[in-house]
Amino acid sequence: MIGRLLLTPKYKLITLPTPLEKAAKLSEEYDINLYVKRDDVMELAFGGNKARKLEYILADAFSKGCDTLITRGAYHSNHARLTAAAARKAGLEAYLVLYPPIEPKVRGNLLLDKLLGANIVYVESSKEANEAMERLAKKLEGEGKKPYIIPGGGASPHGVLGYAMGFLEIFQQLRSFGEKLDYIVHATGTGATQAGLILGAKLLSLDDVGIVGISVGRDPKEVKGEVSRLVSGGAKLLNLDLNVEPEDVIVFSDYTFGGYATITREVVATMKNIALKEGLILDPVYTAKAMYGLLDLVEKGYFKSDSTIVFLHTGGTPIPFQYSELVEEYL
Ligand SMILES: *Cc1c(COP(=O)(O)O)cnc(C)c1O
C-alpha cells in the first residue's frame, strides 16, 4: 500500500528527514519517554508543517501547468509565508489573501511575506477569503495566467500526503533508536496534518498508534469531520478506498485558551517552561498550546504507561516575533 505514496511526485523544497530528538529533561520530570520531531528545523524560510504539504501541492500545480499560487490565511499565517517562499524557490508568483485588514505591524510572518515579494490582498474576515481567492483566480486567468488555488493551511488531498510520508519518517527514525511508536501529539487546525499522519499509520497497518490532535481553536466536531474527509481524499490520490469515521479521530479541545490565536499567561508560561528545560522554542498560537495539552494529558494519565510519545513540533518560528509585546507581557 505504501508503494503508491513513495511514487507520488513531489517538488523538493526541504531536506528530509528532519531531526527527531529526545526531550530528556521533560521525560525525566514527567516520567515519560518523550521525543520531539523537529519540523521547525527546515531550510525553507524558517520551515514548519506547511512545507511538507507544499512539496506535494507544488508537484500537482506543475503537473497542471500552473504558474501562480493563490492561498489564504490570517495575517500571521505560517502557511502563507511558506507558500510565498515555495513559490519563489519554484519560480512561481504567489498571491496571499489575508485577514483581518487591521494594519498589523509588518513583522513576523507578514514581514517575510513582503520580503518574499508576495502579492497581498486583504479581506475583512476569513468568511470572505474563499470567494476572494476565486475572484482573484478569474482576474489572473483573464490576464493569461494559470493560477492554482491552495486551500487555507494547505488542507487539500495532495497536502495530506506530506504527513503520510511524515508518519513513515517518524516511525523509521524511532525504530532506528530501538523505540516503538505509541503516540504522536500535535497542534491541529485545518486537520490536514492529522489526516496525513492517520493515513500514514493506516498504510503501514499501524492502527494502534494514537494520533492525538490538540485543537488550537476550532470546534472538535468540525476538525474531526475535516480530518475524516481529508484522509479519504488523500487515500483516493493513492487509488485507495480508505475511510476513518469522524468519531475515531482524536481531538482535544480543552487547550484553546479562549480561541484561535488568543495568547494568555498560561500559553507564554508553557513557552518559557519548555525553553528553560529543553532550549526549545515554541510559538504561542500552535505549538505551545499543543505542548500544554500533551503535559496535561500526561498528568491526567491519558497515555498508557511505558509508552513512547512523539511531540510533533509543527513550526511557527516567526510567530513569537509577530506577537512580541504579548509574549513579553507575560514573560
Ligand atoms: C498550520 C499549523 C498547524 C496546524 O496544522 P493543520 O494541518 O492545519 O491542522 C499547527 N502548527 C503550526 C505551527 C501551523 O502553522
Side-chain angles (χ1 to χ4, degrees), residues 49-50 53 78 153 187-193 283 286-287 314-316:
N49 64 341
K50 306 311 180 304
K53 305 179 191 182
N78 297 308
T188 193
T190 65
T193 299
D283 83 285
Y286 299 96
T287 51
T314 42

Side-chain angles (χ1 to χ4, degrees), residues 18 22 58 63 186 251 308 320:
T18 58
K22 177 107 188 214
L58 259 67
S63 81
H186 67 95
V251 177
T308 300

Side-chain angles (χ1 to χ4, degrees), residues 83-237:
T83 299
R88 285 297 168 216
K89 192 154 175 168
L92 307 171
E93 270 303 305
Y95 283 78
L96 309 176
V97 174
L98 303 181
Y99 45 81
I102 54 161
E103 294 197 25
K105 286 217 177 92
V106 179
R107 58 186 182 185
N109 279 318
L110 191 57
L111 176 70
L112 298 172
D113 297 342
K114 295 205 174 192
L115 189 59
L116 291 160
N119 303 281
I120 298 176
V121 177
Y122 279 106
V123 291
E124 283 300 319
S125 74
S126 78
K127 285 192 197 74
E128 288 151 53
N130 284 352
E131 211 186 294
M133 289 201 294
E134 295 290 344
R135 262 202 318 274
L136 192 55
K138 285 231 170 63
K139 179 170 162 273
L140 291 167
E141 273 163 11
E143 294 167 6
K145 298 266 172 48
K146 287 268 285 175
Y148 183 98
I149 295 181
I150 305 173
S156 70
H158 282 92
V160 167
L161 299 185
Y163 273 94
M165 277 301 284
F167 179 90
L168 187 66
E169 191 178 300
I170 292 168
F171 176 74
Q172 285 182 318
Q173 278 177 313
L174 260 190
R175 242 177 98 88
S176 76
F177 298 161
E179 301 268 26
K180 182 174 153 288
L181 174 60
D182 296 302
Y183 299 94
I184 300 176
V185 182
H186 67 95
T188 193
T190 65
T193 299
Q194 189 162 12
L197 293 170
I198 291 171
L199 178 59
K202 291 242 171 246
L203 293 176
L204 292 177
S205 304
L206 291 169
D207 295 285
D208 53 343
V209 177
I211 308 295
V212 179
I214 308 291
S215 173
V216 293
R218 283 173 87 193
D219 172 56
K221 231 189 177 144
E222 220 177 286
V223 182
K224 289 176 183 201
E226 278 298 295
V227 171
S228 168
R229 192 181 62 79
L230 286 162
V231 169
S232 304
K236 209 160 150 204
L237 288 178

